[in-house]
Amino acid sequence: MSPTRRAFLAGAALTALAGCAAGPAPVGHPALRRPRRAGAVAFLRTGAAAPLLELRGEPDVLVGLGARLAPGTPGLTAMPAFPGEVLIPERSNTDAFLQVEGDDEEECRERLAGLLAALPDARATWQTTVRRDTVDGGLQRNPFGFVEGQTNSGSVLLPTGDALLAVRVIRLAHRSWDADTPEHHRRVIGRHPDGTWLDGAPAHADPGYAADPTGAVIPLDSHVRAMNPRTPGAPAPRMLRRSWAYQAPPTAQGTPDEGVLFMAFQDDFGKGFALAQSRMAGDALHPYLLTVGGGYYAVPPVG
């Protein structure tokens, strides 16, 4: 890293407030660290990977490189189109993705702005702050108020040390959701709001699908069961989820722009995110979701 850039980044880190100050010493890869409570993200257009890679050593920073900036990364391509999307170009298949984490959204926004200022050849096409609502045990509560799991795999790194990252910007139809009953919500998700399964199994335990083959207790089209049926020939998607809630200003038409910034680390899109996505058509949660952005990226280890 050049002395000028190092000095700039050091100054940006010192001026950041405590809420987005440096966390613990960096681990070997961003996918393996414990997520913090808040953050800020940006989708970038740029032709240069080197300045972004210089940011890898910054605490609580994640750098994702698209296929154009990381040629030769095994399995990395542009994210293909999936049914039902309404993609906004500024949020879709960009050259890079940048995230900072901390404990306060606005302070993370300031830190992200400082990092972007050190990248004069990069243009942020869309950025937002994000947050996580976690409960005991590290599980996350989604914006619909349900505690959910976050991992389906213990291995997400390629032999190179990189991880593949799928990012999705998903608007949630809160008005439609709020118009339905709590009982309907539980059957759509397949869990109670506290994370326990509808068959009574604890949040961290496996549900008893074998004793419920017709879906009388946990519906076959519930979100949890559609994504991971736990039946022969239907493997679980291999990925590590790290999703965040976001709330951006309404669109010019007055449509609320809030929902989930879905992130999933993996070593094979075909066995991870793309497999899960192929099951969305049969998911009772699907009508409440609208994907408006996303992309595939390679995330290198910390520098």
Side-chain angles (χ1 to χ4, degrees):
M1 181 182 294
S2 68
T4 300
R5 187 178 299 277
R6 188 181 301 277
F8 181 92
L9 292 175
L14 288 173
T15 56
L17 298 176
C20 207
V27 296
H29 197 281
L32 305 180
R33 68 187 176 213
R34 188 178 185 88
R36 299 183 70 181
R37 293 184 297 180
V41 302
F43 289 89
L44 307 177
R45 296 291 183 193
T46 180
L52 283 162
L53 291 174
E54 290 183 352
L55 303 181
R56 291 180 298 162
E58 292 296 306
D60 297 315
V61 170
L62 177 150
V63 174
L65 303 178
R68 192 164 73 94
L69 296 186
T73 301
L76 181 62
T77 64
M79 178 177 278
F82 294 102
E85 300 174 325
V86 182
L87 297 183
I88 300 172
E90 291 79 9
R91 309 182 194 185
S92 307
N93 277 322
T94 56
D95 297 313
F97 176 79
L98 184 62
Q99 180 190 37
V100 299
E101 296 181 41
D103 295 322
D104 181 89
E105 292 177 54
E106 289 307 311
E107 290 159 7
C108 288
R109 186 198 301 272
E110 292 179 11
R111 187 174 179 220
L112 177 64
L115 296 179
L116 292 174
L119 301 170
D121 297 326
R123 179 172 61 91
T125 57
W126 186 71
Q127 53 187 303
T128 187
T129 56
V130 294
R131 65 189 184 278
R132 289 173 59 86
D133 179 12
T134 56
V135 298
D136 292 342
L139 295 180
Q140 181 182 5
R141 189 180 304 277
N142 68 33
F144 282 154
F146 280 73
V147 172
E148 58 184 22
Q150 63 184 18
T151 178
N152 305 107
S153 174
S155 175
V156 297
L157 301 183
L158 296 165
T160 59
D162 297 345
L164 299 177
L165 173 65
V167 179
R168 301 283 273 178
V169 183
I170 305 171
R171 287 182 185 162
L172 302 184
H174 282 283
R175 293 176 183 172
S176 297
W177 180 264
D178 293 344
D180 290 326
T181 66
E183 174 60 25
H184 180 73
H185 295 163
R186 289 191 287 269
R187 294 187 66 79
V188 166
I189 300 296
R191 294 180 185 259
H192 295 287
D194 66 358
T196 57
W197 301 86
L198 295 188
D199 65 359
H204 285 282
D206 289 333
Y209 288 171
D212 181 30
T214 63
V217 179
I218 302 178
L220 299 180
D221 66 347
S222 63
H223 178 61
V224 294
R225 200 157 184 173
M227 289 295 98
N228 185 10
R230 290 177 166 85
T231 55
R238 289 172 40 192
M239 57 185 181
L240 179 64
R241 290 182 285 148
R242 290 287 186 264
S243 295
W244 304 76
Y246 83 92
Q247 185 171 7
T251 68
Q253 296 74 34
T255 302
D257 189 1
E258 57 185 286
V260 170
L261 183 87
F262 174 91
M263 297 173 61
F265 298 96
Q266 57 230 277
D267 58 7
D268 186 326
F269 288 125
K271 296 179 179 179
F273 170 77
L275 175 60
Q277 194 66 24
S278 71
R279 297 171 178 172
M280 282 300 297
D283 188 339
L285 185 60
H286 193 215
Y288 300 95
L289 313 178
L290 178 63
T291 299
V292 296
Y296 284 168
Y297 303 95
V299 178
V302 298

